[in-house]
Amino acid sequence: MLAYVMQTSLQYIDRDGKEYFYKNDKTHETKDIAKKLTLLGHFMHYMHEHLLTTGRAKPPQDVDNLARWPCLHSWFRTSTAIVLFLNNGTLQLNFFTDHTKIILCPKISAVSYINPQREMKTFTFENIQRHGASHELNTRLNYAVTIIRRMMASENQVGRLFNERDGH
């Protein structure tokens, strides 16, 4: 599910939600973890070299060290976007054609939109419902709804398969 690397330690959460903690001294590193670290290193390098970072000018706050960071639950690629689903319910879509992004966050009931000029604006769901959204954001939100519906249908199908297999 996720490998999160800090300078001195590694936290790994598997698909079943079981957490593993390792010191970054390689003494307890398995081949499986070594592969995940290598892959994570490639992702980190790519993101550092090619992707927009937001909030770069924001200084860290004390609460940043106390909060539990969200983990990548799943991701997939469509012909339109890369879809990232985090374990806290946040859904991010990175669109290929214009490099725009939307980040839907249920925890704060809001969506953040990064436009082609790399400007980020955040809108509450309530304000969008009340006042509407720009054509660009509305188009991306409609696509996100399609993706969410597909994800929910897929999850329901998987759940039915497990229940049938277990005789329920």
Side-chain angles (χ1 to χ4, degrees):
M1 185 179 191
L2 167 89
Y4 175 68
V5 176
M6 295 174 36
Q7 292 292 337
T8 59
S9 63
L10 163 79
Q11 176 185 1
Y12 174 73
I13 304 171
D14 69 15
R15 292 187 185 274
D16 297 324
K18 187 173 179 185
E19 297 183 34
Y20 302 87
F21 298 92
Y22 301 94
K23 288 205 180 269
N24 226 5
D25 61 7
K26 298 190 182 236
T27 57
H28 302 312
E29 192 175 291
T30 65
K31 281 186 179 182
D32 189 45
I33 292 296
K35 285 182 190 177
K36 289 173 181 10
L37 286 173
T38 300
L39 183 60
L40 182 62
H42 292 302
F43 276 117
M44 288 171 59
H45 176 74
Y46 176 83
M47 290 169 63
H48 182 7
E49 293 294 320
H50 301 286
L51 300 179
L52 169 69
T53 56
T54 59
R56 183 179 284 171
K58 178 184 170 268
Q61 300 177 1
D62 288 338
V63 73
D64 291 341
N65 293 325
L66 300 175
R68 186 174 180 97
W69 287 83
C71 301
L72 180 64
H73 180 273
S74 58
W75 71 276
F76 56 92
R77 180 185 174 115
T78 70
S79 60
T80 304
I82 290 180
V83 180
L84 306 163
F85 182 56
L86 305 183
N87 68 340
N88 68 354
T90 299
L91 184 71
Q92 178 173 328
L93 289 89
N94 299 346
F95 294 91
F96 297 128
T97 56
D98 58 4
H99 302 288
T100 59
K101 297 165 182 55
I102 61 170
I103 304 153
L104 296 137
C105 182
K107 297 278 186 197
I108 61 169
S109 299
V111 60
S112 295
Y113 173 56
I114 301 174
N115 68 20
Q117 293 76 39
R118 296 186 165 193
E119 300 163 330
M120 183 171 87
K121 294 183 181 173
T122 301
F123 307 91
T124 64
F125 297 148
E126 183 180 332
N127 277 342
I128 291 173
Q129 188 175 23
R130 189 177 294 157
H131 304 291
S134 68
H135 174 73
E136 293 82 13
L137 179 56
N138 197 46
T139 300
R140 285 155 185 80
L141 287 171
N142 284 331
Y143 185 74
V145 168
T146 301
I147 292 298
I148 291 167
R149 287 185 176 140
R150 283 187 202 162
M151 290 171 66
M152 290 173 67
S154 175
E155 186 175 295
N156 287 339
Q157 289 172 351
V158 170
R160 278 194 298 259
L161 287 174
F162 280 114
N163 286 336
E164 289 171 9
R165 186 182 73 191
D166 294 337
H168 294 104

